[in-house]
Amino acid sequence: TQTVSQSDAHVTVFEGDSVELRCNYSYGGSIYLSWYIQHHGRGLQFLLKYYSGNPVVQGVNGFKAEFSKSDSSFHLRKASVHWSDSAVYFCAVSAGGYQNFYFGKGTSLTVIP
Amino acid sequence: EAAVTQSPRSKVAVTGGKVTLSCHQTNNHDYMYWYRQDTGHGLRLIHYSYVADSTEKGDIPDGYKASRPSQENFSLILELASLSQTAVYFCASSNWGAETLYFGSGTRLTVL
């Protein structure tokens, strides 16, 4: 059974701070890891994904994530957040192809201007 | 840009009534999905389809049916709506090998 765990339900930071949103997964095979962002009242939007190669992947708007096989993690980071980054962030894992994407419960990020 | 359109944006239904949620994509994607979002539960897959006229069960299919009459359209049907089906429903599409989901804006369903 694939599981995705996002340990922080809520994170609050000030504008200009750095932030790390944590994601740990449990899966036995080759996987795709991805992050999605959901602004209030909107659908989810793709941020970035990892499958192989360089464990650090760059996404849009200055976001990046780092894969660690030893820790079974795929944490999302941003060096300097903006108030518009306030949203809910979801980590997801998929085996590829048409296989199901399994989502974490989400982390709500609040950026105080 | 990829586009997935859901209708209606919100709906109030009565217990025992029939509800149909519609989804239309202009991405030319083969795969379409219906997810349910509940507070504190993330997203859970209800049904999906990888070709027209065929649907597959996801992780929580009970109480739901799906229909894919064409590549562009994918519907979710609640034959007998129940209070427990109050949630936000998202449709998404993707293509084989892309490993990226494109979501609609969601339908907020309230069953009274």
Side-chain angles (χ1 to χ4, degrees), chain A residues 32 34 36 38 41-46 49 90 94-106, chain B residues 9 31 33 35 37 40-43 45 48 50 59 90 94 96-101 103-106:
Chain A
Y32 290 83
S34 51
Y36 288 79
Q38 183 182 31
R42 307 282 296 277
L44 281 72
Q45 290 181 284
F46 172 77
K49 67 182 176 187
F90 291 93
S94 169
Y98 67 85
Q99 297 297 321
N100 188 11
F101 286 72
Y102 290 91
F103 287 84
K105 294 183 178 182
Chain B
R9 286 299 308 272
Y31 301 97
Y33 308 79
Y35 282 92
Q37 184 178 38
H41 286 278
L43 279 78
L45 183 66
Y48 64 97
Y50 51 86
D59 294 329
F90 287 100
S94 73
W96 178 276
E99 316 313 337
T100 301
L101 292 172
F103 283 87
S105 296

mmCIF file of all heavy atoms in Angstrom, chain A residues 32 34 36 38 41-46 49 90 94-106, chain B residues 9 31 33 35 37 40-43 45 48 50 59 90 94 96-101 103-106:
data_model
loop_
_atom_site.group_PDB
_atom_site.id
_atom_site.type_symbol
_atom_site.label_atom_id
_atom_site.label_comp_id
_atom_site.label_asym_id
_atom_site.label_seq_id
_atom_site.Cartn_x
_atom_site.Cartn_y
_atom_site.Cartn_z
ATOM 1 N N TYR A 32 6.989 8.119 -9.269
ATOM 2 C CA TYR A 32 7.049 9.537 -9.561
ATOM 3 C C TYR A 32 6.591 10.272 -8.299
ATOM 4 O O TYR A 32 5.586 9.908 -7.691
ATOM 5 C CB TYR A 32 6.107 9.906 -10.706
ATOM 6 C CG TYR A 32 6.552 9.393 -12.047
ATOM 7 C CD1 TYR A 32 6.278 8.094 -12.438
ATOM 8 C CD2 TYR A 32 7.231 10.227 -12.932
ATOM 9 C CE1 TYR A 32 6.690 7.616 -13.667
ATOM 10 C CE2 TYR A 32 7.627 9.760 -14.176
ATOM 11 C CZ TYR A 32 7.361 8.454 -14.529
ATOM 12 O OH TYR A 32 7.760 7.985 -15.759
ATOM 13 N N SER A 34 5.619 14.114 -6.805
ATOM 14 C CA SER A 34 5.271 15.440 -7.293
ATOM 15 C C SER A 34 4.649 16.284 -6.184
ATOM 16 O O SER A 34 4.227 15.764 -5.140
ATOM 17 C CB SER A 34 4.312 15.338 -8.490
ATOM 18 O OG SER A 34 3.213 14.499 -8.197
ATOM 19 N N TYR A 36 1.854 19.583 -5.693
ATOM 20 C CA TYR A 36 0.801 20.404 -6.284
ATOM 21 C C TYR A 36 0.436 21.496 -5.294
ATOM 22 O O TYR A 36 0.548 21.339 -4.079
ATOM 23 C CB TYR A 36 -0.444 19.555 -6.579
ATOM 24 C CG TYR A 36 -0.273 18.605 -7.746
ATOM 25 C CD1 TYR A 36 0.405 17.398 -7.590
ATOM 26 C CD2 TYR A 36 -0.780 18.918 -9.000
ATOM 27 C CE1 TYR A 36 0.582 16.545 -8.660
ATOM 28 C CE2 TYR A 36 -0.621 18.064 -10.075
ATOM 29 C CZ TYR A 36 0.064 16.875 -9.901
ATOM 30 O OH TYR A 36 0.229 16.023 -10.962
ATOM 31 N N GLN A 38 -2.671 24.281 -4.192
ATOM 32 C CA GLN A 38 -4.092 24.588 -4.319
ATOM 33 C C GLN A 38 -4.383 25.913 -3.616
ATOM 34 O O GLN A 38 -4.342 25.994 -2.383
ATOM 35 C CB GLN A 38 -4.961 23.488 -3.705
ATOM 36 C CG GLN A 38 -6.450 23.735 -3.873
ATOM 37 C CD GLN A 38 -7.303 22.661 -3.220
ATOM 38 O OE1 GLN A 38 -6.924 22.067 -2.218
ATOM 39 N NE2 GLN A 38 -8.477 22.398 -3.805
ATOM 40 N N GLY A 41 -10.244 27.749 -3.018
ATOM 41 C CA GLY A 41 -11.351 27.679 -3.953
ATOM 42 C C GLY A 41 -10.982 27.274 -5.364
ATOM 43 O O GLY A 41 -11.819 27.355 -6.266
ATOM 44 N N ARG A 42 -9.762 26.842 -5.564
ATOM 45 C CA ARG A 42 -9.299 26.487 -6.908
ATOM 46 C C ARG A 42 -8.928 25.018 -6.975
ATOM 47 O O ARG A 42 -8.844 24.309 -5.968
ATOM 48 C CB ARG A 42 -8.076 27.335 -7.261
ATOM 49 C CG ARG A 42 -8.271 28.848 -7.095
ATOM 50 C CD ARG A 42 -9.055 29.413 -8.240
ATOM 51 N NE ARG A 42 -8.357 29.281 -9.503
ATOM 52 C CZ ARG A 42 -7.425 30.120 -9.948
ATOM 53 N NH1 ARG A 42 -7.054 31.153 -9.208
ATOM 54 N NH2 ARG A 42 -6.849 29.927 -11.112
ATOM 55 N N GLY A 43 -8.687 24.569 -8.192
ATOM 56 C CA GLY A 43 -8.189 23.222 -8.382
ATOM 57 C C GLY A 43 -6.692 23.162 -8.102
ATOM 58 O O GLY A 43 -6.031 24.169 -7.924
ATOM 59 N N LEU A 44 -6.169 21.947 -8.061
ATOM 60 C CA LEU A 44 -4.745 21.776 -7.819
ATOM 61 C C LEU A 44 -3.952 22.091 -9.078
ATOM 62 O O LEU A 44 -4.388 21.788 -10.189
ATOM 63 C CB LEU A 44 -4.445 20.338 -7.392
ATOM 64 C CG LEU A 44 -4.723 19.967 -5.946
ATOM 65 C CD1 LEU A 44 -6.213 19.873 -5.679
ATOM 66 C CD2 LEU A 44 -4.033 18.663 -5.585
ATOM 67 N N GLN A 45 -2.771 22.675 -8.878
ATOM 68 C CA GLN A 45 -1.893 22.979 -10.004
ATOM 69 C C GLN A 45 -0.539 22.329 -9.769
ATOM 70 O O GLN A 45 -0.005 22.367 -8.651
ATOM 71 C CB GLN A 45 -1.711 24.496 -10.143
ATOM 72 C CG GLN A 45 -2.953 25.228 -10.614
ATOM 73 C CD GLN A 45 -2.688 26.711 -10.745
ATOM 74 O OE1 GLN A 45 -2.622 27.420 -9.748
ATOM 75 N NE2 GLN A 45 -2.522 27.176 -11.965
ATOM 76 N N PHE A 46 0.013 21.788 -10.826
ATOM 77 C CA PHE A 46 1.294 21.115 -10.754
ATOM 78 C C PHE A 46 2.423 22.096 -10.455
ATOM 79 O O PHE A 46 2.482 23.185 -11.037
ATOM 80 C CB PHE A 46 1.540 20.425 -12.095
ATOM 81 C CG PHE A 46 2.905 19.840 -12.267
ATOM 82 C CD1 PHE A 46 3.237 18.655 -11.657
ATOM 83 C CD2 PHE A 46 3.855 20.490 -13.051
ATOM 84 C CE1 PHE A 46 4.502 18.111 -11.829
ATOM 85 C CE2 PHE A 46 5.114 19.964 -13.223
ATOM 86 C CZ PHE A 46 5.443 18.769 -12.615
ATOM 87 N N LYS A 49 8.026 17.727 -10.324
ATOM 88 C CA LYS A 49 8.005 16.279 -10.154
ATOM 89 C C LYS A 49 9.419 15.716 -10.255
ATOM 90 O O LYS A 49 10.321 16.350 -10.809
ATOM 91 C CB LYS A 49 7.108 15.605 -11.192
ATOM 92 C CG LYS A 49 7.635 15.708 -12.617
ATOM 93 C CD LYS A 49 6.655 15.065 -13.584
ATOM 94 C CE LYS A 49 7.140 15.248 -15.022
ATOM 95 N NZ LYS A 49 6.118 14.771 -15.994
ATOM 96 N N PHE A 90 0.151 19.946 -1.714
ATOM 97 C CA PHE A 90 -0.040 18.502 -1.656
ATOM 98 C C PHE A 90 1.147 17.787 -2.282
ATOM 99 O O PHE A 90 1.588 18.120 -3.387
ATOM 100 C CB PHE A 90 -1.306 18.093 -2.413
ATOM 101 C CG PHE A 90 -2.582 18.527 -1.768
ATOM 102 C CD1 PHE A 90 -3.186 19.711 -2.120
ATOM 103 C CD2 PHE A 90 -3.185 17.731 -0.795
ATOM 104 C CE1 PHE A 90 -4.374 20.113 -1.524
ATOM 105 C CE2 PHE A 90 -4.368 18.118 -0.198
ATOM 106 C CZ PHE A 90 -4.962 19.317 -0.560
ATOM 107 N N SER A 94 3.091 8.409 -7.480
ATOM 108 C CA SER A 94 2.457 7.585 -8.501
ATOM 109 C C SER A 94 3.462 6.581 -9.032
ATOM 110 O O SER A 94 4.659 6.867 -9.118
ATOM 111 C CB SER A 94 1.964 8.475 -9.641
ATOM 112 O OG SER A 94 1.573 7.695 -10.745
ATOM 113 N N ALA A 95 2.930 5.420 -9.423
ATOM 114 C CA ALA A 95 3.802 4.403 -10.004
ATOM 115 C C ALA A 95 4.021 4.637 -11.488
ATOM 116 O O ALA A 95 4.811 3.948 -12.118
ATOM 117 C CB ALA A 95 3.201 3.022 -9.772
ATOM 118 N N GLY A 96 3.357 5.628 -12.040
ATOM 119 C CA GLY A 96 3.532 5.923 -13.448
ATOM 120 C C GLY A 96 2.428 5.352 -14.296
ATOM 121 O O GLY A 96 1.583 4.606 -13.825
ATOM 122 N N GLY A 97 2.447 5.733 -15.567
ATOM 123 C CA GLY A 97 1.409 5.277 -16.471
ATOM 124 C C GLY A 97 0.057 5.791 -16.032
ATOM 125 O O GLY A 97 -0.089 6.943 -15.665
ATOM 126 N N TYR A 98 -0.944 4.930 -16.041
ATOM 127 C CA TYR A 98 -2.260 5.362 -15.621
ATOM 128 C C TYR A 98 -2.491 5.087 -14.146
ATOM 129 O O TYR A 98 -3.588 5.261 -13.652
ATOM 130 C CB TYR A 98 -3.335 4.626 -16.434
ATOM 131 C CG TYR A 98 -3.392 3.140 -16.152
ATOM 132 C CD1 TYR A 98 -4.119 2.636 -15.091
ATOM 133 C CD2 TYR A 98 -2.686 2.247 -16.948
ATOM 134 C CE1 TYR A 98 -4.159 1.276 -14.820
ATOM 135 C CE2 TYR A 98 -2.713 0.889 -16.681
ATOM 136 C CZ TYR A 98 -3.452 0.407 -15.628
ATOM 137 O OH TYR A 98 -3.474 -0.922 -15.368
ATOM 138 N N GLN A 99 -1.461 4.643 -13.471
ATOM 139 C CA GLN A 99 -1.625 4.283 -12.074
ATOM 140 C C GLN A 99 -2.092 5.455 -11.232
ATOM 141 O O GLN A 99 -1.859 6.618 -11.554
ATOM 142 C CB GLN A 99 -0.291 3.757 -11.512
ATOM 143 C CG GLN A 99 0.199 2.493 -12.182
ATOM 144 C CD GLN A 99 -0.755 1.335 -11.979
ATOM 145 O OE1 GLN A 99 -1.315 1.169 -10.910
ATOM 146 N NE2 GLN A 99 -0.967 0.560 -13.023
ATOM 147 N N ASN A 100 -2.747 5.118 -10.162
ATOM 148 C CA ASN A 100 -3.310 6.108 -9.265
ATOM 149 C C ASN A 100 -2.234 7.006 -8.695
ATOM 150 O O ASN A 100 -1.105 6.591 -8.450
ATOM 151 C CB ASN A 100 -4.035 5.394 -8.124
ATOM 152 C CG ASN A 100 -4.814 6.345 -7.248
ATOM 153 O OD1 ASN A 100 -4.992 7.507 -7.587
ATOM 154 N ND2 ASN A 100 -5.273 5.845 -6.117
ATOM 155 N N PHE A 101 -2.588 8.258 -8.507
ATOM 156 C CA PHE A 101 -1.762 9.187 -7.766
ATOM 157 C C PHE A 101 -2.274 9.168 -6.330
ATOM 158 O O PHE A 101 -3.459 9.370 -6.077
ATOM 159 C CB PHE A 101 -1.916 10.610 -8.329
ATOM 160 C CG PHE A 101 -1.233 10.827 -9.643
ATOM 161 C CD1 PHE A 101 -1.725 10.260 -10.812
ATOM 162 C CD2 PHE A 101 -0.106 11.620 -9.735
ATOM 163 C CE1 PHE A 101 -1.097 10.464 -12.033
ATOM 164 C CE2 PHE A 101 0.521 11.839 -10.951
ATOM 165 C CZ PHE A 101 0.023 11.261 -12.095
ATOM 166 N N TYR A 102 -1.387 8.954 -5.384
ATOM 167 C CA TYR A 102 -1.762 8.979 -3.975
ATOM 168 C C TYR A 102 -1.301 10.297 -3.382
ATOM 169 O O TYR A 102 -0.128 10.662 -3.509
ATOM 170 C CB TYR A 102 -1.151 7.801 -3.222
ATOM 171 C CG TYR A 102 -1.772 6.491 -3.605
ATOM 172 C CD1 TYR A 102 -1.245 5.735 -4.644
ATOM 173 C CD2 TYR A 102 -2.908 6.018 -2.958
ATOM 174 C CE1 TYR A 102 -1.825 4.533 -5.022
ATOM 175 C CE2 TYR A 102 -3.493 4.821 -3.325
ATOM 176 C CZ TYR A 102 -2.950 4.091 -4.360
ATOM 177 O OH TYR A 102 -3.527 2.912 -4.746
ATOM 178 N N PHE A 103 -2.227 10.984 -2.752
ATOM 179 C CA PHE A 103 -1.950 12.314 -2.227
ATOM 180 C C PHE A 103 -1.829 12.292 -0.709
ATOM 181 O O PHE A 103 -2.521 11.531 -0.016
ATOM 182 C CB PHE A 103 -3.076 13.282 -2.609
ATOM 183 C CG PHE A 103 -3.079 13.665 -4.059
ATOM 184 C CD1 PHE A 103 -3.682 12.858 -5.010
ATOM 185 C CD2 PHE A 103 -2.471 14.844 -4.474
ATOM 186 C CE1 PHE A 103 -3.680 13.214 -6.360
ATOM 187 C CE2 PHE A 103 -2.470 15.206 -5.823
ATOM 188 C CZ PHE A 103 -3.067 14.386 -6.753
ATOM 189 N N GLY A 104 -0.961 13.171 -0.200
ATOM 190 C CA GLY A 104 -0.944 13.426 1.225
ATOM 191 C C GLY A 104 -2.137 14.292 1.612
ATOM 192 O O GLY A 104 -2.915 14.723 0.749
ATOM 193 N N LYS A 105 -2.271 14.569 2.902
ATOM 194 C CA LYS A 105 -3.431 15.332 3.374
ATOM 195 C C LYS A 105 -3.269 16.830 3.169
ATOM 196 O O LYS A 105 -4.205 17.581 3.402
ATOM 197 C CB LYS A 105 -3.695 15.021 4.845
ATOM 198 C CG LYS A 105 -4.120 13.579 5.080
ATOM 199 C CD LYS A 105 -4.436 13.324 6.556
ATOM 200 C CE LYS A 105 -4.896 11.881 6.745
ATOM 201 N NZ LYS A 105 -5.253 11.593 8.168
ATOM 202 N N GLY A 106 -2.086 17.230 2.764
ATOM 203 C CA GLY A 106 -1.877 18.643 2.468
ATOM 204 C C GLY A 106 -1.295 19.423 3.639
ATOM 205 O O GLY A 106 -1.525 19.096 4.802
ATOM 206 N N ARG B 9 -20.321 24.335 -10.683
ATOM 207 C CA ARG B 9 -19.290 24.704 -9.699
ATOM 208 C C ARG B 9 -19.706 24.315 -8.293
ATOM 209 O O ARG B 9 -18.881 23.970 -7.446
ATOM 210 C CB ARG B 9 -19.023 26.214 -9.741
ATOM 211 C CG ARG B 9 -18.237 26.652 -10.943
ATOM 212 C CD ARG B 9 -16.846 26.004 -10.989
ATOM 213 N NE ARG B 9 -16.087 26.162 -9.762
ATOM 214 C CZ ARG B 9 -15.311 27.184 -9.487
ATOM 215 N NH1 ARG B 9 -15.196 28.187 -10.332
ATOM 216 N NH2 ARG B 9 -14.615 27.233 -8.345
ATOM 217 N N TYR B 31 -6.241 9.966 -20.338
ATOM 218 C CA TYR B 31 -6.664 9.565 -19.003
ATOM 219 C C TYR B 31 -7.454 10.666 -18.313
ATOM 220 O O TYR B 31 -7.081 11.842 -18.369
ATOM 221 C CB TYR B 31 -5.437 9.204 -18.146
ATOM 222 C CG TYR B 31 -4.642 8.089 -18.753
ATOM 223 C CD1 TYR B 31 -3.518 8.365 -19.525
ATOM 224 C CD2 TYR B 31 -5.042 6.772 -18.587
ATOM 225 C CE1 TYR B 31 -2.803 7.337 -20.117
ATOM 226 C CE2 TYR B 31 -4.333 5.753 -19.174
ATOM 227 C CZ TYR B 31 -3.218 6.038 -19.944
ATOM 228 O OH TYR B 31 -2.522 5.023 -20.532
ATOM 229 N N TYR B 33 -9.774 11.375 -14.537
ATOM 230 C CA TYR B 33 -9.929 10.891 -13.163
ATOM 231 C C TYR B 33 -11.000 11.706 -12.429
ATOM 232 O O TYR B 33 -11.164 12.889 -12.700
ATOM 233 C CB TYR B 33 -8.618 11.067 -12.378
ATOM 234 C CG TYR B 33 -7.378 10.512 -13.026
ATOM 235 C CD1 TYR B 33 -6.739 11.209 -14.054
ATOM 236 C CD2 TYR B 33 -6.821 9.312 -12.606
ATOM 237 C CE1 TYR B 33 -5.584 10.711 -14.645
ATOM 238 C CE2 TYR B 33 -5.664 8.813 -13.184
ATOM 239 C CZ TYR B 33 -5.055 9.522 -14.202
ATOM 240 O OH TYR B 33 -3.903 9.033 -14.782
ATOM 241 N N TYR B 35 -11.652 12.651 -8.438
ATOM 242 C CA TYR B 35 -11.155 12.612 -7.070
ATOM 243 C C TYR B 35 -12.170 13.277 -6.157
ATOM 244 O O TYR B 35 -12.892 14.204 -6.538
ATOM 245 C CB TYR B 35 -9.823 13.350 -6.944
ATOM 246 C CG TYR B 35 -8.624 12.597 -7.434
ATOM 247 C CD1 TYR B 35 -8.188 12.746 -8.745
ATOM 248 C CD2 TYR B 35 -7.922 11.750 -6.597
ATOM 249 C CE1 TYR B 35 -7.074 12.070 -9.209
ATOM 250 C CE2 TYR B 35 -6.802 11.057 -7.053
ATOM 251 C CZ TYR B 35 -6.387 11.226 -8.353
ATOM 252 O OH TYR B 35 -5.287 10.553 -8.810
ATOM 253 N N GLN B 37 -12.326 15.299 -2.436
ATOM 254 C CA GLN B 37 -11.519 15.969 -1.417
ATOM 255 C C GLN B 37 -12.362 16.242 -0.196
ATOM 256 O O GLN B 37 -13.386 16.913 -0.269
ATOM 257 C CB GLN B 37 -10.925 17.280 -1.945
ATOM 258 C CG GLN B 37 -10.004 17.960 -0.942
ATOM 259 C CD GLN B 37 -9.382 19.235 -1.480
ATOM 260 O OE1 GLN B 37 -10.026 20.001 -2.197
ATOM 261 N NE2 GLN B 37 -8.118 19.468 -1.157
ATOM 262 N N GLY B 40 -8.948 17.403 5.608
ATOM 263 C CA GLY B 40 -8.097 16.537 6.404
ATOM 264 C C GLY B 40 -7.824 15.175 5.804
ATOM 265 O O GLY B 40 -7.145 14.356 6.420
ATOM 266 N N HIS B 41 -8.335 14.934 4.567
ATOM 267 C CA HIS B 41 -8.127 13.621 3.955
ATOM 268 C C HIS B 41 -7.410 13.695 2.617
ATOM 269 O O HIS B 41 -7.259 12.686 1.961
ATOM 270 C CB HIS B 41 -9.462 12.914 3.772
ATOM 271 C CG HIS B 41 -10.043 12.396 5.061
ATOM 272 N ND1 HIS B 41 -9.648 11.218 5.621
ATOM 273 C CD2 HIS B 41 -10.971 12.923 5.882
ATOM 274 C CE1 HIS B 41 -10.333 11.029 6.750
ATOM 275 N NE2 HIS B 41 -11.125 12.038 6.934
ATOM 276 N N GLY B 42 -6.995 14.831 2.211
ATOM 277 C CA GLY B 42 -6.355 14.895 0.906
ATOM 278 C C GLY B 42 -7.334 14.530 -0.194
ATOM 279 O O GLY B 42 -8.535 14.738 -0.081
ATOM 280 N N LEU B 43 -6.807 13.958 -1.281
ATOM 281 C CA LEU B 43 -7.647 13.556 -2.405
ATOM 282 C C LEU B 43 -7.671 12.036 -2.514
ATOM 283 O O LEU B 43 -6.645 11.381 -2.377
ATOM 284 C CB LEU B 43 -7.110 14.134 -3.716
ATOM 285 C CG LEU B 43 -7.471 15.578 -4.004
ATOM 286 C CD1 LEU B 43 -6.599 16.518 -3.210
ATOM 287 C CD2 LEU B 43 -7.315 15.883 -5.492
ATOM 288 N N LEU B 45 -9.130 8.757 -4.985
ATOM 289 C CA LEU B 45 -9.586 8.438 -6.335
ATOM 290 C C LEU B 45 -10.878 7.631 -6.301
ATOM 291 O O LEU B 45 -10.956 6.589 -5.648
ATOM 292 C CB LEU B 45 -8.495 7.657 -7.075
ATOM 293 C CG LEU B 45 -8.795 7.307 -8.526
ATOM 294 C CD1 LEU B 45 -8.869 8.568 -9.372
ATOM 295 C CD2 LEU B 45 -7.739 6.362 -9.072
ATOM 296 N N TYR B 48 -11.622 6.217 -12.675
ATOM 297 C CA TYR B 48 -10.787 6.780 -13.707
ATOM 298 C C TYR B 48 -11.069 6.073 -15.031
ATOM 299 O O TYR B 48 -11.745 5.027 -15.062
ATOM 300 C CB TYR B 48 -9.299 6.715 -13.346
ATOM 301 C CG TYR B 48 -8.728 5.323 -13.212
ATOM 302 C CD1 TYR B 48 -8.055 4.722 -14.266
ATOM 303 C CD2 TYR B 48 -8.848 4.621 -12.010
ATOM 304 C CE1 TYR B 48 -7.520 3.451 -14.135
ATOM 305 C CE2 TYR B 48 -8.314 3.353 -11.878
ATOM 306 C CZ TYR B 48 -7.643 2.782 -12.928
ATOM 307 O OH TYR B 48 -7.120 1.519 -12.799
ATOM 308 N N TYR B 50 -9.146 5.390 -19.081
ATOM 309 C CA TYR B 50 -8.017 5.609 -19.977
ATOM 310 C C TYR B 50 -8.423 5.529 -21.443
ATOM 311 O O TYR B 50 -7.567 5.667 -22.331
ATOM 312 C CB TYR B 50 -6.861 4.657 -19.672
ATOM 313 C CG TYR B 50 -7.227 3.210 -19.579
ATOM 314 C CD1 TYR B 50 -7.286 2.403 -20.716
ATOM 315 C CD2 TYR B 50 -7.510 2.615 -18.353
ATOM 316 C CE1 TYR B 50 -7.613 1.070 -20.625
ATOM 317 C CE2 TYR B 50 -7.843 1.287 -18.254
ATOM 318 C CZ TYR B 50 -7.896 0.511 -19.397
ATOM 319 O OH TYR B 50 -8.225 -0.806 -19.307
ATOM 320 N N ASP B 59 -10.096 3.905 -5.627
ATOM 321 C CA ASP B 59 -10.000 3.409 -4.259
ATOM 322 C C ASP B 59 -11.320 3.462 -3.484
ATOM 323 O O ASP B 59 -11.538 2.693 -2.565
ATOM 324 C CB ASP B 59 -8.935 4.208 -3.496
ATOM 325 C CG ASP B 59 -7.549 3.971 -4.052
ATOM 326 O OD1 ASP B 59 -7.301 2.855 -4.557
ATOM 327 O OD2 ASP B 59 -6.722 4.886 -3.992
ATOM 328 N N PHE B 90 -13.120 16.734 -7.722
ATOM 329 C CA PHE B 90 -12.214 17.237 -8.748
ATOM 330 C C PHE B 90 -12.076 16.239 -9.877
ATOM 331 O O PHE B 90 -11.897 15.044 -9.664
ATOM 332 C CB PHE B 90 -10.824 17.514 -8.172
ATOM 333 C CG PHE B 90 -10.760 18.725 -7.295
ATOM 334 C CD1 PHE B 90 -10.784 18.608 -5.925
ATOM 335 C CD2 PHE B 90 -10.684 19.989 -7.861
ATOM 336 C CE1 PHE B 90 -10.716 19.723 -5.112
ATOM 337 C CE2 PHE B 90 -10.628 21.121 -7.059
ATOM 338 C CZ PHE B 90 -10.646 20.983 -5.681
ATOM 339 N N SER B 94 -4.724 13.447 -17.698
ATOM 340 C CA SER B 94 -3.285 13.312 -17.913
ATOM 341 C C SER B 94 -3.067 12.451 -19.144
ATOM 342 O O SER B 94 -3.985 11.801 -19.642
ATOM 343 C CB SER B 94 -2.587 12.679 -16.704
ATOM 344 O OG SER B 94 -2.881 11.294 -16.620
ATOM 345 N N TRP B 96 -0.457 9.447 -20.975
ATOM 346 C CA TRP B 96 0.499 8.398 -20.642
ATOM 347 C C TRP B 96 1.923 8.947 -20.728
ATOM 348 O O TRP B 96 2.294 9.555 -21.721
ATOM 349 C CB TRP B 96 0.352 7.223 -21.605
ATOM 350 C CG TRP B 96 1.340 6.135 -21.333
ATOM 351 C CD1 TRP B 96 2.628 6.055 -21.777
ATOM 352 C CD2 TRP B 96 1.140 4.984 -20.523
ATOM 353 N NE1 TRP B 96 3.221 4.914 -21.309
ATOM 354 C CE2 TRP B 96 2.334 4.242 -20.539
ATOM 355 C CE3 TRP B 96 0.048 4.506 -19.791
ATOM 356 C CZ2 TRP B 96 2.476 3.052 -19.840
ATOM 357 C CZ3 TRP B 96 0.190 3.309 -19.107
ATOM 358 C CH2 TRP B 96 1.399 2.611 -19.134
ATOM 359 N N GLY B 97 2.685 8.725 -19.678
ATOM 360 C CA GLY B 97 4.074 9.144 -19.661
ATOM 361 C C GLY B 97 4.290 10.563 -19.153
ATOM 362 O O GLY B 97 5.405 10.931 -18.818
ATOM 363 N N ALA B 98 3.221 11.362 -19.103
ATOM 364 C CA ALA B 98 3.390 12.745 -18.656
ATOM 365 C C ALA B 98 3.511 12.815 -17.146
ATOM 366 O O ALA B 98 4.185 13.692 -16.631
ATOM 367 C CB ALA B 98 2.225 13.597 -19.130
ATOM 368 N N GLU B 99 2.840 11.919 -16.461
ATOM 369 C CA GLU B 99 2.891 11.841 -15.004
ATOM 370 C C GLU B 99 2.515 13.148 -14.331
ATOM 371 O O GLU B 99 3.020 13.467 -13.258
ATOM 372 C CB GLU B 99 4.271 11.360 -14.521
ATOM 373 C CG GLU B 99 4.839 10.221 -15.283
ATOM 374 C CD GLU B 99 3.844 9.082 -15.517
ATOM 375 O OE1 GLU B 99 2.861 8.956 -14.764
ATOM 376 O OE2 GLU B 99 4.048 8.320 -16.462
ATOM 377 N N THR B 100 1.706 13.922 -14.982
ATOM 378 C CA THR B 100 1.244 15.186 -14.415
ATOM 379 C C THR B 100 -0.259 15.259 -14.571
ATOM 380 O O THR B 100 -0.784 14.990 -15.654
ATOM 381 C CB THR B 100 1.879 16.382 -15.146
ATOM 382 O OG1 THR B 100 3.300 16.307 -15.031
ATOM 383 C CG2 THR B 100 1.387 17.690 -14.566
ATOM 384 N N LEU B 101 -0.933 15.612 -13.490
ATOM 385 C CA LEU B 101 -2.383 15.764 -13.539
ATOM 386 C C LEU B 101 -2.760 17.212 -13.767
ATOM 387 O O LEU B 101 -2.156 18.122 -13.190
ATOM 388 C CB LEU B 101 -3.001 15.297 -12.209
ATOM 389 C CG LEU B 101 -2.933 13.807 -11.895
ATOM 390 C CD1 LEU B 101 -3.404 13.545 -10.478
ATOM 391 C CD2 LEU B 101 -3.778 13.022 -12.884
ATOM 392 N N PHE B 103 -5.987 19.610 -13.300
ATOM 393 C CA PHE B 103 -7.230 19.588 -12.558
ATOM 394 C C PHE B 103 -8.214 20.648 -13.035
ATOM 395 O O PHE B 103 -7.819 21.743 -13.465
ATOM 396 C CB PHE B 103 -6.962 19.841 -11.074
ATOM 397 C CG PHE B 103 -6.401 18.654 -10.348
ATOM 398 C CD1 PHE B 103 -5.031 18.428 -10.326
ATOM 399 C CD2 PHE B 103 -7.243 17.769 -9.691
ATOM 400 C CE1 PHE B 103 -4.510 17.324 -9.651
ATOM 401 C CE2 PHE B 103 -6.733 16.673 -9.010
ATOM 402 C CZ PHE B 103 -5.362 16.453 -8.986
ATOM 403 N N GLY B 104 -9.490 20.314 -12.869
ATOM 404 C CA GLY B 104 -10.528 21.320 -12.988
ATOM 405 C C GLY B 104 -10.631 22.105 -11.687
ATOM 406 O O GLY B 104 -9.896 21.839 -10.724
ATOM 407 N N SER B 105 -11.535 23.055 -11.662
ATOM 408 C CA SER B 105 -11.679 23.939 -10.491
ATOM 409 C C SER B 105 -12.508 23.325 -9.375
ATOM 410 O O SER B 105 -12.589 23.906 -8.298
ATOM 411 C CB SER B 105 -12.313 25.262 -10.915
ATOM 412 O OG SER B 105 -11.459 25.941 -11.812
ATOM 413 N N GLY B 106 -13.110 22.176 -9.643
ATOM 414 C CA GLY B 106 -13.836 21.484 -8.596
ATOM 415 C C GLY B 106 -15.320 21.780 -8.582
ATOM 416 O O GLY B 106 -15.785 22.809 -9.083
#
